[in-house]
Amino acid sequence: AYIYWTGLPGKVRADLGKFRMAVGQLNRWHPHALPETNYPLVYQAFLGEDGLSGVGAGLYTLLPVSIAKGTSEVFVQGAAIESEPLNNAAYQPALLGRLANFWQLSRRTYMELGFTGLGAEDSDNDLTSNLLGADVQTKFAEVKQLQADRCPKALGSVIKTSEVQFHHEVTNQYLWSRF
């Protein structure tokens, strides 16, 4: 559980407590809200079976400038994380930065492009892990046509998401996750 404050100077939101880290699209979601029964294999391999959460603090804000005529947001999170792949399941410090940009391409089409960087330490084993990620999500909402057809059961959207993450420890590993 965490608490957050909104309306801080500069339109900043501050989070404090135990929260899910903002790595990619799905790590912020609790398992019951996932579109499938488990986290994708790339998340399990790099973050752990249950994704990545930590106890700490975070800051979030929208950027006052537009990148490529979109809306941009920035996350900075510092937390003590417990992750088998990143720090051998020992509570150790980690720092995360995320930049995401959103575009409303049409009335029915939305796109998000995000980049994440995470650094974690395992001081017990003198090990540092770095994780870099990029993700893109496109959402096509056929709401208008479905409403015209009066088909509430089919009313919804189609979401396409791709992510790639790079993890550097002793060797470089590349994994792709597409769902």
Side-chain angles (χ1 to χ4, degrees):
Y2 67 94
I3 57 175
Y4 64 92
W5 292 273
T6 59
L8 296 173
K11 298 183 181 180
V12 172
R13 183 185 93 189
D15 301 342
L16 185 63
K18 183 172 183 175
F19 50 82
R20 302 195 58 76
M21 303 292 280
V23 178
Q25 291 285 331
L26 295 179
N27 191 64
R28 294 175 284 179
W29 298 11
H30 289 275
H32 63 83
L34 292 172
E36 52 273 317
T37 55
N38 295 316
Y39 285 102
L41 293 177
V42 70
Y43 279 77
Q44 293 179 36
F46 287 163
L47 306 176
E49 189 174 315
D50 297 323
L52 185 63
S53 62
V55 177
L59 297 174
Y60 159 85
T61 190
L62 293 175
L63 290 179
V65 295
S66 175
I67 297 176
K69 298 185 180 180
T71 301
S72 304
E73 67 180 6
V74 175
F75 286 88
V76 177
Q77 296 175 322
I81 62 167
E82 182 180 27
S83 169
E84 183 66 36
L86 290 175
N87 61 8
N88 295 321
Y91 275 104
Q92 299 288 342
L95 183 63
L96 176 138
R98 176 167 172 78
L99 172 66
N101 207 54
F102 306 89
W103 296 275
Q104 187 75 36
L105 302 175
S106 72
R107 289 185 66 196
R108 296 184 223 168
T109 308
Y110 158 93
M111 184 174 163
E112 176 184 353
L113 177 64
F115 300 96
T116 305
L118 174 82
E121 287 196 12
D122 179 1
S123 59
D124 296 338
N125 296 315
D126 199 27
L127 177 69
T128 300
S129 293
N130 297 309
L131 179 70
L132 301 173
D135 53 86
V136 62
Q137 179 180 40
T138 307
K139 186 174 182 180
F140 307 95
E142 298 299 329
V143 176
K144 186 175 180 182
Q145 185 61 48
L146 292 171
Q147 286 175 339
D149 294 342
R150 298 192 185 274
C151 185
K153 187 173 184 181
L155 189 61
S157 61
V158 175
I159 299 173
K160 295 188 183 274
T161 302
S162 296
E163 295 193 30
V164 60
Q165 295 184 357
F166 168 76
H167 181 215
H168 175 74
E169 203 170 81
V170 176
T171 61
N172 296 336
Q173 302 173 16
Y174 294 92
L175 287 180
W176 287 80
S177 174
R178 183 172 215 148
F179 47 94

